[in-house]
Amino acid sequence: MLIPAMFYTPIIPEGEVGVLGKVIDKRGNSYTVFSKKLYYDSQWYNYKNYYKFYYNEFSTVPITTGKNVYVYGQADKKGLKPIYIAPSNNFSIMKVKDNAINKIQKNIENEEARDILISSFMGNIKDNEVFKKTGTLHLFAVSGMHVYILYGIVSFFVNFLILKRNARLIINSVIISFYLIFTGFTPSSVRAVLLLVTLNIFRFFDIPVSSFNILGLVGYINLLFLPNNILNVSFQMSYAAAFMILFTLERIDNSFIKTLIMPVAAYIGIFPIALINFGEISLTGLLITPLLTPAVTLLILCALFSIILPFNFITLFSTNFAIATKNFVNVFTFWEPIKFGSIFIPLVAWSFLFLLYVFILETKTKRSPHKQRPYIKN
């Protein structure tokens, strides 16, 4: 996975820059642009990266999701502060995302509920303080979990309607790939979608393959196209969590225990990365994430129905449930994240916890000799 990055030196400009890219997310005055080219130091560079910023100046040509734009501004290691944005009047399939956001904004009057519903389906929540304090922000920043939830919903209906296995695999793969338009092609959602689609390809041709090999292949492809992701904390945490979840699930048989332990496995995987980058850890998120996971599933369904079937009883239920979810999380804000002056001791403690966790799982596996590695079969 590291090989593409070895031959790539990321450009981290500071000063005046020009960025050519596409708007992949827009909420009010908040923009996310995926760059294609960067003008810096009197030269144009091919440069793929995500830029998030606020821009509240009036434009005679509406700037919407899917637009190609030229952004001029001041760049530093923290990001980009735009001075001027020039949109081009072109069509993009990502206009679908903009239309979906507009429909939710039209059908859901409560701004707080609207923000939660849109972010549960598309990520990038605006009012995130409550979720940040409780360590549950990842539930509203589209991750692999959201992709798997939606894939499960889609598979349920497709499997019910379509009898032929290969037809189901193709339809499921196409629909979940289309979902990337709504996520803005974030590293975690790209990883999860590529993983599922690759698994389906191997299933289609009846080729048994290890899930770990597919995860590595997906990561390699991801870095091949976007080498700068190797520096992206979201990318690092996404693959660390995915690896630990796969490692755990192959050693546990009970479905109920699998559901309960998945957040723990993901937490163990991302702990050192979060600690090194943020210097603090929230234990609250570990405790309430299993409780919120079913709620997020229902929020995704509410968002979908608010777009497709905006009946009054659906919008009323969606509004009340979104607000109730936030109020529930707000109850746990009294427990502040644990901040560390030095990360050495917590990293050592995590190392012992990690070894103990692996030892327990390996011991359980040895006691069950019939247990096999996770190969993809029919």
Side-chain angles (χ1 to χ4, degrees):
M1 192 180 293
L2 298 177
I3 293 176
M6 291 173 61
F7 300 97
Y8 173 78
T9 303
I11 305 167
I12 306 178
E14 293 190 32
E16 295 183 359
V17 299
V19 173
L20 281 176
K22 185 182 291 291
V23 179
I24 59 174
D25 188 74
K26 179 183 182 296
R27 302 299 160 76
N29 295 326
S30 174
Y31 293 82
T32 302
V33 171
F34 182 71
S35 67
K36 299 176 182 177
K37 289 183 177 293
L38 179 76
Y39 186 77
Y40 174 64
D41 197 22
S42 301
Q43 293 186 59
W44 280 103
Y45 298 90
N46 290 323
Y47 185 61
K48 297 177 181 178
N49 199 7
Y50 295 90
Y51 286 102
K52 292 186 178 182
F53 54 80
Y54 286 89
Y55 184 77
N56 57 5
E57 298 296 326
F58 175 77
S59 174
T60 55
V61 180
I63 304 174
T64 58
T65 304
K67 288 279 188 183
N68 286 326
V69 293
Y70 172 76
V71 185
Y72 166 76
Q74 292 284 333
D76 56 29
K77 292 181 179 179
K78 294 182 179 180
L80 177 67
K81 294 181 179 179
I83 299 172
Y84 173 76
I85 298 179
S88 60
N89 195 13
N90 65 319
F91 173 79
S92 170
I93 194 173
M94 291 195 72
K95 182 70 176 174
V96 173
K97 178 179 180 178
D98 204 55
N99 291 337
I101 292 175
N102 290 338
K103 283 190 176 181
I104 293 179
Q105 289 175 338
K106 178 182 177 181
N107 298 324
I108 305 294
E109 295 181 1
N110 185 286
E111 185 177 352
E112 189 177 25
R114 198 163 56 211
D115 184 30
I116 293 173
L117 288 168
I118 292 175
S119 61
S120 66
F121 184 50
M122 306 181 198
N124 198 26
I125 192 167
K126 291 168 63 179
D127 186 13
N128 61 18
E129 196 59 33
V130 169
F131 303 103
K132 190 175 181 181
K133 281 184 178 180
T134 55
T136 55
L137 186 59
H138 63 283
L139 296 174
F140 299 91
V142 172
S143 63
M145 185 190 76
H146 295 74
V147 175
Y148 299 139
I149 288 173
L150 191 65
Y151 186 82
I153 295 171
V154 170
S155 298
F156 175 81
F157 290 103
V158 171
N159 294 349
F160 179 76
L161 296 172
I162 307 296
L163 296 178
K164 291 186 177 181
R165 188 203 66 165
N166 286 350
R168 295 200 302 262
L169 292 174
I170 293 172
I171 294 172
N172 287 337
S173 298
V174 170
I175 294 175
I176 203 63
S177 298
F178 188 74
Y179 178 54
L180 287 175
I181 296 171
F182 295 97
T183 69
F185 295 87
T186 59
S188 56
S189 64
V190 170
R191 183 264 306 164
V193 169
L194 279 176
L195 182 61
L196 288 171
V197 171
T198 308
L199 287 175
N200 284 346
I201 291 172
F202 280 104
R203 286 186 181 128
F204 186 90
F205 292 104
D206 293 320
I207 302 173
V209 63
S210 169
S211 300
F212 293 111
N213 289 343
I214 293 182
L215 182 65
L217 175 64
V218 168
Y220 183 86
I221 293 172
N222 200 317
L223 287 177
L224 203 59
F225 286 95
L226 294 171
N228 199 55
N229 269 348
I230 196 68
L231 304 176
N232 188 303
V233 176
S234 174
F235 175 88
Q236 297 168 8
M237 294 174 73
S238 175
Y239 278 86
F243 177 84
M244 283 307 301
I245 289 172
L246 286 177
F247 180 82
T248 301
L249 294 185
E250 72 162 17
R251 290 162 171 79
I252 296 176
D253 295 313
N254 188 284
S255 298
F256 179 72
I257 296 177
K258 283 182 179 181
T259 304
L260 291 179
I261 205 170
M262 275 179 62
V264 177
Y267 190 85
I268 290 174
I270 69 173
F271 184 95
I273 301 172
L275 185 64
I276 291 169
N277 285 279
F278 308 120
E280 63 180 35
I281 291 294
S282 174
L283 297 178
T284 314
L286 178 63
L287 297 175
I288 65 176
T289 292
L291 299 176
L292 283 178
T293 300
V296 172
T297 304
L298 187 53
L299 284 171
I300 291 174
L301 284 171
C302 287
L304 283 169
F305 286 133
S306 297
I307 296 169
I308 303 170
L309 303 169
F311 299 124
N312 288 335
F313 74 93
I314 291 178
T315 56
L316 181 63
F317 175 81
S318 300
T319 300
N320 291 331
F321 185 71
I323 294 173
T325 301
K326 187 172 183 179
N327 289 339
F328 171 77
V329 177
N330 194 45
V331 172
F332 297 89
T333 54
F334 69 91
W335 195 350
E336 295 287 336
I338 302 173
K339 297 183 179 180
F340 299 96
S342 171
I343 64 172
F344 176 75
I345 294 178
L347 278 179
V348 171
W350 170 84
S351 300
F352 283 109
L353 177 64
F354 176 78
L355 291 174
L356 178 62
Y357 182 80
V358 172
F359 175 76
I360 293 172
L361 289 178
E362 289 292 344
T363 301
K364 184 182 182 305
T365 305
K366 289 177 181 178
R367 289 175 181 174
S368 305
H370 65 280
K371 189 78 173 173
Q372 296 179 350
R373 299 300 183 196
Y375 285 91
I376 307 305
K377 299 179 180 178
N378 294 344

